[in-house]
Amino acid sequence: MRATDLAEQELTGRLIGADRLSAISWGRDESAVRAKDTAVLVDADTATWASWNIYAVEFARETGAEIVRIDDHGITGAAFFEHVRQLRRPVVSSPKRDDTPLPPDLVRRPVVEPVPIWTWALVSRRDEPSRAVQAAIEALTSDITVDLSEGWLPADDPFRHS
């Protein structure tokens, strides 16, 4: 969720983790790829992929990555791998994972300059009245530390300045 969404819906988010996003590329080169040399897929389905689409468009605009518009839900799985093959360039993978194994003709490559980071949060009501729920939130999040200083986060990510 974006910080704006949290505020508008009177919610709070506690950071529970972060993923360094990588790119999937055709071939054997596993070296790091600069963000400006990648592509990001943006799906026409704005309901299912809303948060990813917002992230991907902002990432592309700020880094120079190419936006590739699709309409087949191919953000993950076999359809995603087919897009990588057709584009013949590194494509940033979304944080939504599936259990489709990486095909042998494709490789995972770190993305740098900058490193795209996707944050995960435990979201709750800002004025949560239940002490039990408050205690559970505290227990689940109090020991979590995530270094976000080396990566790229969208401008409205609630943890961008944490």
Side-chain angles (χ1 to χ4, degrees):
M1 290 190 83
R2 298 176 302 167
T4 303
D5 299 327
L6 292 172
E8 287 174 358
Q9 297 179 38
E10 297 183 2
L11 300 170
T12 188
R14 299 277 298 260
L15 185 64
I16 58 173
D19 288 338
R20 292 176 63 132
L21 302 183
S22 58
I24 304 300
S25 184
W26 178 82
R28 300 276 180 244
D29 183 1
E30 295 181 17
S31 65
V33 61
R34 295 177 303 181
K36 71 178 185 175
D37 298 326
T38 66
V40 291
L41 303 181
V42 174
D43 197 280
D45 180 352
T46 57
T48 304
W49 297 106
S51 59
W52 170 253
N53 285 348
I54 292 166
Y55 180 99
V57 167
E58 186 174 341
F59 178 76
R61 287 187 179 143
E62 287 193 21
T63 66
E66 178 186 2
I67 295 172
V68 177
R69 299 196 182 275
I70 62 172
D71 60 5
D72 62 359
H73 308 283
I75 303 292
T76 61
F80 174 79
F81 298 142
E82 193 54 38
H83 286 295
V84 173
R85 289 182 186 105
Q86 289 173 359
L87 291 168
R88 294 278 193 203
R89 66 181 302 170
V91 180
V92 177
S93 62
S94 82
K96 184 175 182 177
R97 304 289 185 249
D98 64 18
D99 52 1
T100 307
L102 188 65
D105 62 326
L106 302 178
V107 295
R108 187 171 306 280
R109 298 175 67 181
V111 178
V112 296
E113 298 178 28
V115 174
I117 302 289
W118 181 274
T119 57
W120 297 98
L122 177 62
V123 177
S124 62
R125 293 182 287 198
R126 187 181 314 151
D127 61 348
E128 176 56 57
S130 169
R131 290 183 194 260
V133 171
Q134 291 173 7
I137 292 168
E138 183 62 26
L140 292 169
T141 62
S142 64
D143 293 337
I144 294 175
T145 57
V146 178
D147 181 10
L148 301 174
S149 64
E150 297 297 317
W152 178 89
L153 295 169
D156 202 21
D157 187 288
F159 308 108
R160 183 171 174 147
H161 303 290
S162 296

